[in-house]
Amino acid sequence: MSLPSSVIPVVLVALVGSAAVAQTGTPPGRERKARQLTLRAEEPPVLHPLRVAARELTTVTFDAPIVPDSVDRAALAPFFSRVGVYADALVLKASVDLPEGRGPVITVRFAGEGAPAQVGFVLTTVDAEVDSQVEVFRHGRTAQELGKELADLRARCAVTEAGFATLRAQCALSGLGGAVLSGAVTPDGVAVKYLLKPIVQPGLSTVSSHVLYRSGSTLVLATTLSNPDETRPWVPGFMRATPHAPDGRVLTPHEYPLLMRERRLEPGARAPVVVEWSVPPETPPGTHFTLELMDTTGECSVRWEQVTP
């Protein structure tokens, strides 16, 4: 079948346009950036650049509550395949690149009184980098507050490093043979217990079974977590095991690092998570535990109660 001559130029233009789109992609050298932005009440409001890129996820978090309805989702819809606006976060996934001067502007108002009342972003795409994570601080922090945050961070790093030291020693004896050699698996074998469905915070879910393995004094909790679409990435932190003695006393909790193949759980993804832990030798018989899976901020995401090892 032959096409009318008047149609041929239109077809050629469409084909050329499709080829151009197919060749457009994220530059291989684009670097994902994480940065912080501190607002100053005494400074005049300005538009802050927010670098986005096609198929790249950009998460903006705020240290103060925002008004989700202040973000014009309709204006963003032509440029983004995902727009998530929450009480303290903004999640964007661009569907196209935005050349300088041609991207939309986002205005985010803060809830409650105080200054600054809002923050504005001008969206653009550059070849060198993309903003993967941006933290916005509405309240400027004093030197004392920064010093306390640094001290807390150092303390948490020390705890995490101690857990890593144990894991490095165990990794030297990997596999089933290493588990036997290290004493993690004893001649009595491995006992398997299935836990009931846990209490899950909004924004995260669990799938499949929740298994507690035990060999001697070593226990391993294994589960699979699912992060829904249009939410922020979930970064594994640690498990807090809190003992509850039979007489009602709450004993000293212990923290153990979470293990996951992925560095973080992206929106729409799922991954198995395991944690190796042990019952302290001074624990009274009949003690049950509350097990809490935390992210890196120390926020509880998943919790089991009344767990008997």
Side-chain angles (χ1 to χ4, degrees), residues 56-82:
E56 293 284 347
L57 197 69
T58 296
T59 302
V60 184
T61 59
F62 304 87
D63 71 333
I66 65 173
V67 180
D69 290 342
S70 65
V71 177
D72 189 351
R73 293 177 173 86
L76 300 177
F79 308 98
F80 293 88
S81 61
R82 178 180 302 164

Side-chain angles (χ1 to χ4, degrees), residues 26 29-35 50-58 92 94 97 124-134:
T26 301
R30 182 175 286 155
E31 181 181 2
R32 294 179 176 89
K33 288 282 189 177
R35 59 189 181 93
L50 186 63
R51 292 175 285 270
V52 300
R55 298 177 296 280
E56 293 284 347
L57 197 69
T58 296
L92 302 171
D97 287 343
T124 187
T125 300
V126 298
D127 290 341
E129 58 192 29
V130 59
D131 289 328
S132 178
Q133 292 180 307
V134 178

Side-chain angles (χ1 to χ4, degrees), residues 246-293:
D247 59 6
R249 291 179 298 127
V250 178
L251 307 180
T252 303
H254 292 76
E255 297 178 354
Y256 306 87
L258 295 179
L259 303 179
M260 193 170 76
R261 289 191 185 95
E262 296 78 5
R263 187 174 63 89
R264 62 182 188 175
L265 193 59
E266 299 289 353
R270 63 172 59 180
V273 178
V274 301
V275 56
E276 182 176 319
W277 61 293
S278 60
V279 177
E282 68 277 7
T283 303
T287 295
H288 62 269
F289 288 79
T290 297
L291 306 180
E292 300 171 289
L293 305 188

Side-chain angles (χ1 to χ4, degrees), residues 8-285:
I8 294 176
V10 177
V11 174
L12 290 177
V13 170
L15 290 175
V16 171
S18 301
V21 172
Q23 293 173 1
T24 302
T26 301
R30 182 175 286 155
E31 181 181 2
R32 294 179 176 89
K33 288 282 189 177
R35 59 189 181 93
Q36 296 181 341
L37 173 63
T38 300
L39 307 179
R40 306 293 181 185
E42 66 277 8
E43 296 178 355
V46 297
L47 290 177
H48 301 275
L50 186 63
R51 292 175 285 270
V52 300
R55 298 177 296 280
E56 293 284 347
L57 197 69
T58 296
T59 302
V60 184
T61 59
F62 304 87
D63 71 333
I66 65 173
V67 180
D69 290 342
S70 65
V71 177
D72 189 351
R73 293 177 173 86
L76 300 177
F79 308 98
F80 293 88
S81 61
R82 178 180 302 164
V83 178
V85 187
Y86 309 94
D88 62 349
L90 178 65
V91 179
L92 302 171
K93 187 173 185 180
S95 54
V96 296
D97 287 343
L98 303 175
E100 185 176 359
R102 297 168 62 183
V105 172
I106 297 179
T107 300
V108 181
R109 291 202 317 270
F110 290 102
E113 299 180 354
Q118 64 185 37
V119 59
F121 300 98
V122 58
L123 304 179
T124 187
T125 300
V126 298
D127 290 341
E129 58 192 29
V130 59
D131 289 328
S132 178
Q133 292 180 307
V134 178
E135 293 182 280
V136 178
F137 296 98
R138 183 190 188 191
H139 308 293
R141 292 169 294 173
T142 65
Q144 290 80 3
E145 291 172 333
L146 291 173
K148 182 180 182 301
E149 181 180 340
L150 179 59
D152 293 342
L153 181 60
R154 285 174 173 169
R156 185 170 295 279
C157 287
V159 173
T160 304
E161 183 58 32
F164 284 156
T166 301
L167 292 175
R168 291 188 189 101
Q170 293 171 349
C171 288
L173 300 172
S174 61
L176 182 59
V180 174
L181 189 61
S182 67
V185 174
T186 69
D188 295 330
V190 178
V192 178
K193 176 186 292 187
Y194 292 89
L195 303 183
L196 297 177
K197 188 175 182 179
I199 301 171
V200 181
Q201 295 298 322
L204 201 67
S205 61
T206 58
V207 295
S208 72
S209 55
H210 321 290
V211 187
L212 187 65
Y213 301 91
R214 178 164 188 169
S215 178
S217 61
T218 302
L219 296 103
V220 172
L221 171 65
T223 188
T224 298
L225 301 181
S226 177
N227 200 13
D229 292 329
E230 298 187 0
T231 187
R232 70 184 69 179
W234 185 84
V235 183
F238 58 93
M239 184 189 79
R240 178 179 295 143
T242 304
H244 299 263
D247 59 6
R249 291 179 298 127
V250 178
L251 307 180
T252 303
H254 292 76
E255 297 178 354
Y256 306 87
L258 295 179
L259 303 179
M260 193 170 76
R261 289 191 185 95
E262 296 78 5
R263 187 174 63 89
R264 62 182 188 175
L265 193 59
E266 299 289 353
R270 63 172 59 180
V273 178
V274 301
V275 56
E276 182 176 319
W277 61 293
S278 60
V279 177
E282 68 277 7
T283 303

